[in-house]
């Protein structure tokens, strides 16, 4: 996904919300690619494998297509948001999104924990005492 918009909101110093907006055109593009993949493997009565029309594949495998589309769009949006942000993300805490459809723009909210920023003090010259092992 190359033309999404991203916004980062602070919840705390170590928790952020990344809001990603994906245009419907990109969701439709992803859906078209999935339908082609399904067409190549679909077994539809009356058609040779790989020759079934897209609308029949869409109708016959609607549930699977919906799940695959949601997973693919969310994964790409998350990956692109993480790569384009300058945050050191520790883990994904929460994911909130609307319906994934090729007719609607999609807004996804990723709540993430980030590694805290801190500076180490000067440690050169510190004296360390250790117990004898004798």
């Amino acid at each position: 996904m190359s033309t999404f918009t991203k916004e980062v909101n602070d919840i705390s110093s170590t928790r952020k919300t990344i809001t990603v907006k994906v245009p419907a055109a990109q969701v439709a593009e992803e859906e078209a690619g999935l339908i082609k993949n399904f067409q190549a493997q679909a077994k539809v009565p009356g058609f040779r494998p790989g020759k079934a029309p897209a609308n029949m594949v869409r109708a016959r495998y609607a549930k699977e297509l919906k799940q695959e589309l949601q997973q693919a769009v969310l994964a790409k949006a998350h990956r692109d948001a993480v790569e384009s942000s300058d945050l050191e993300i520790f883990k994904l805490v929460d994911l909130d999104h609307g319906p994934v459809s090729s007719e609607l723009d999609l807004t996804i909210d990723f709540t993430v924990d980030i590694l805290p920023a801190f500076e180490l003090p000067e440690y050169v010259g510190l004296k360390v005492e250790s117990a004898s092992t004798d």
Side-chain angles (χ1 to χ4, degrees):
M1 310 225 154
S2 57
T3 58
F4 66 92
T5 57
K6 174 184 66 94
E7 180 182 322
V8 178
N9 297 315
D10 292 343
I11 295 175
S12 71
S13 62
T14 58
R15 186 163 283 182
K16 310 289 183 204
T17 298
I18 303 172
T19 301
V20 178
K21 295 184 182 187
V22 182
Q26 283 188 316
V27 177
E29 184 179 309
E30 186 68 33
E31 183 180 43
L34 283 173
I35 289 173
K36 280 189 177 186
N37 288 343
F38 270 70
Q39 275 181 300
Q41 301 171 11
K43 293 181 181 176
V44 178
F47 295 94
R48 290 181 292 161
K51 301 297 182 184
N55 60 348
M56 290 187 80
V57 171
R58 182 180 281 124
R60 186 170 178 98
Y61 296 100
K63 184 178 178 184
E64 292 86 355
L65 274 169
K66 182 179 178 182
Q67 290 173 344
E68 289 281 332
L69 179 64
Q70 179 174 325
Q71 183 178 10
V73 169
L74 293 177
K76 282 186 179 184
H78 179 261
R79 184 177 57 245
D80 288 349
V82 167
E83 288 175 358
S84 68
S85 72
D86 53 348
L87 302 173
E88 291 188 54
I89 296 176
F90 177 65
K91 72 175 183 175
L92 177 66
V93 177
D94 190 26
L95 172 66
D96 185 29
H97 62 86
V100 179
S101 169
S102 60
E103 290 119 25
L104 301 170
D105 291 345
L106 177 63
T107 301
I108 309 165
D109 292 322
F110 299 101
T111 303
V112 295
D113 281 342
I114 62 168
L115 297 175
F118 60 91
E119 291 194 26
L120 292 174
E122 184 71 30
Y123 64 90
V124 175
L126 291 177
K127 198 173 199 182
V128 178
E129 294 183 24
S130 61
S132 174
T133 58
D134 294 333

